[in-house]
Amino acid sequence: MAANAVHLPTPLNVEEISRKAADYDYDPDIPLRYWLRTADAIQKQAQSYQRDGDDQDAYLFFLRHALLVIEKLPTHSEAKLAENRKPLAQANKVVHRNLKTLEELRPGINKRHQRYEEAMARRREEREKAADERRRNGAQQEASLADEMDGMNLGGNRGDSSINQKRSLEAKEHRDLAAKLARREEKKRRKAYTAEQEGPDDLSKHIIEAGKRGQQTFQDRNDRRSSNGAKFVAAPPRYPTVPQKSDFDMKAKSPPTYRSRESPAREILRQLDSGPPSLPPKEREYSQSPPPLPSKVSYDDRNTPSPVPRSTTATPDVNPRDFTFKPSAFLESGTPLRTIFLPPNLRSKFLSFASQATSMNREFLGILCGTLISNAFFISKLVIPEQEATSDTCEMTDEVGLWEYCDREDLLTLGWIHTHPTQTCFMSSRDLHTHGGYQAQMAESIAIVCAPRHEPSWGVFRLTDPPGLKHILSCRQSGIFHPHSETNLYTDAMKPGHVCELPGLEFEVVDLRK
């Protein structure tokens, strides 16, 4: 799928990254609404990599988003439906806003690749010289020369930060570092997001600000009259409430009209190949300021009796620009899966919310949301959506409300959690079809099943890929429990897998039910 992880550890040039960006599976049989959410997930991942200073992955995901939205989605069989025209137009606006970012990233990427190639050439030359030296002076100098070479970076001198690579760390061996990073980055990003989230085209905000300026002018005029002895008392002006714009509107300028006969996506690549034009001052564009959030229940597991595991290796400084977490597992196809860090006490908190439904033998669900930091996902929100349930099913009734909340909070949807009040811990046919929608959007998405009256009482699962994901997405059978011809449909995502419990990882419960 389009949102699969493609981490680039070696400095590549723009042409090489572009080839990787175009290398993804596009299945037109998957409903368009899933592809639109996939595009949104790709966009958010690109922004996360850019914040972490990972220009290569940021460029790849921004470009992959452009190719998907401009080249693939317009050909989808559902693209001409009236209800899909506006989301597609909005996705196109995001692409054209990102063109400036691609142009800004491009020179640095090529320059870093050039320096990398030059450094590699110097290193090969030094190795050849070292080999000649060993042949002349004998084998006694081999160990010291090898140690010297190992201590050199690619630039041939220590401290050449322009080509030094990030340290790649095993996520499960550095959980204490991950917990510190999550706390620091969550506060930092939330502060930056809140300060910069107003976009230049946010009409509601501009009208409100204009009202404030008008009110201040009114007050200044009244103060001057009072100082001159004039008595004038009036209530401050009252302004009408301005309806908020859709949170999905990314507030970008309208796309230009294409005059070329080549596809818009290929024209974008051709324009980028011609080099960037002079750039206007940089602007950060974010979605509009969120309205007051629904009631929240703050929670963390800092009082958990389980101690934070100690790393077996030295812990580097907590700076996401200096290191990256390695993928911790792989799909059956060989595609790497980035680590998902899971708060250990999230299940118990979720079950407390589900207790009333469980006592009535009704299923209950929640949505797992979080952020991407240093090439790993951190679950930071457990969202309880509007829902309706029976003893064997549970479905959201306000999916749009969930997506709007995630867009406001700049969150990625990382999966879901639900109960089996009367059944054992497994993935039913309905569960598999539900999870197919999540995993189609992001390969790392997980499903947590809680069966409080049975053992095992819980499990973390994902669809196999292949064959599970494509088999489920192509299945047109209905019914809660229906058979599938394929038996290898899902697998454990935790033991072994890409999911890791992280003591010290704080999270928040957000209840969207009315």
Side-chain angles (χ1 to χ4, degrees), residues 123-345:
R123 186 168 184 175
R124 286 192 294 269
E125 182 180 352
E126 290 166 355
R127 281 179 172 174
E128 292 174 0
K129 291 181 179 179
D132 292 339
E133 188 72 17
R134 285 196 298 272
R135 284 193 293 268
R136 288 195 300 268
N137 299 334
Q140 67 272 15
Q141 295 184 1
E142 182 174 351
S144 61
L145 286 171
D147 292 341
E148 181 180 352
M149 291 303 301
D150 289 340
M152 300 178 65
N153 62 27
L154 295 178
N157 56 57
R158 303 178 189 276
D160 188 353
S161 60
S162 63
I163 53 176
N164 279 344
Q165 294 299 287
K166 294 184 176 184
R167 293 183 58 186
S168 295
L169 304 179
E170 296 288 348
K172 295 179 181 179
E173 294 180 4
H174 292 277
R175 284 184 282 185
D176 52 350
L177 166 67
K180 294 177 183 178
L181 177 68
R183 288 192 291 268
R184 171 178 170 176
E185 288 301 301
E186 183 66 19
K187 293 178 181 178
K188 178 181 176 182
R189 293 185 181 194
R190 181 58 53 204
K191 182 178 180 180
Y193 176 70
T194 302
E196 300 179 359
Q197 59 193 327
E198 179 187 353
D201 297 329
D202 191 340
L203 180 61
S204 299
K205 286 285 187 179
H206 286 306
I207 292 177
I208 293 173
E209 289 301 321
K212 291 181 179 179
R213 290 193 296 271
Q215 184 172 353
Q216 184 61 46
T217 302
F218 173 87
Q219 184 63 46
D220 293 342
R221 185 182 302 122
N222 196 19
D223 291 342
R224 287 194 298 272
R225 290 180 176 179
S226 298
S227 62
N228 295 331
K231 294 182 179 182
F232 181 80
V233 180
R238 301 183 66 177
Y239 300 96
T241 301
V242 180
Q244 293 191 356
K245 297 167 67 177
S246 169
D247 291 301
F248 193 76
D249 186 354
M250 305 304 289
K251 288 164 279 305
K253 297 179 180 179
S254 299
T257 301
Y258 288 103
R259 298 181 180 178
S260 173
R261 293 184 178 180
E262 60 185 339
S263 70
R266 298 306 171 192
E267 185 170 346
I268 288 174
L269 293 176
R270 180 180 57 76
Q271 291 173 352
L272 291 176
D273 287 338
S274 64
S278 57
L279 299 176
K282 296 182 180 180
E283 294 180 351
R284 292 273 186 188
E285 298 184 1
Y286 291 87
S287 59
Q288 66 187 44
S289 177
L293 297 178
S295 58
K296 300 179 180 179
V297 181
S298 297
Y299 184 81
D300 63 65
D301 63 350
R302 286 172 290 184
N303 296 325
T304 178
S306 302
V308 177
R310 292 290 182 181
S311 296
T312 57
T313 56
T315 299
D317 231 359
V318 185
N319 189 337
R321 292 178 176 268
D322 295 337
F323 64 90
T324 182
F325 290 114
K326 297 178 182 178
S328 55
F330 298 85
L331 291 175
E332 288 70 19
S333 64
T335 300
L337 292 173
R338 293 160 290 186
T339 301
I340 288 183
F341 287 111
L342 173 68
N345 286 357

Side-chain angles (χ1 to χ4, degrees), residues 2-34:
N4 284 1
V6 186
H7 186 58
L8 308 175
T10 302
L12 305 178
N13 59 29
V14 167
E15 182 180 356
E16 293 168 328
I17 299 174
S18 299
R19 286 197 295 268
K20 290 183 177 291
D23 183 19
Y24 64 89
D25 295 329
Y26 172 74
D27 186 349
D29 292 331
I30 297 176
L32 182 60
R33 68 180 186 277
Y34 291 146

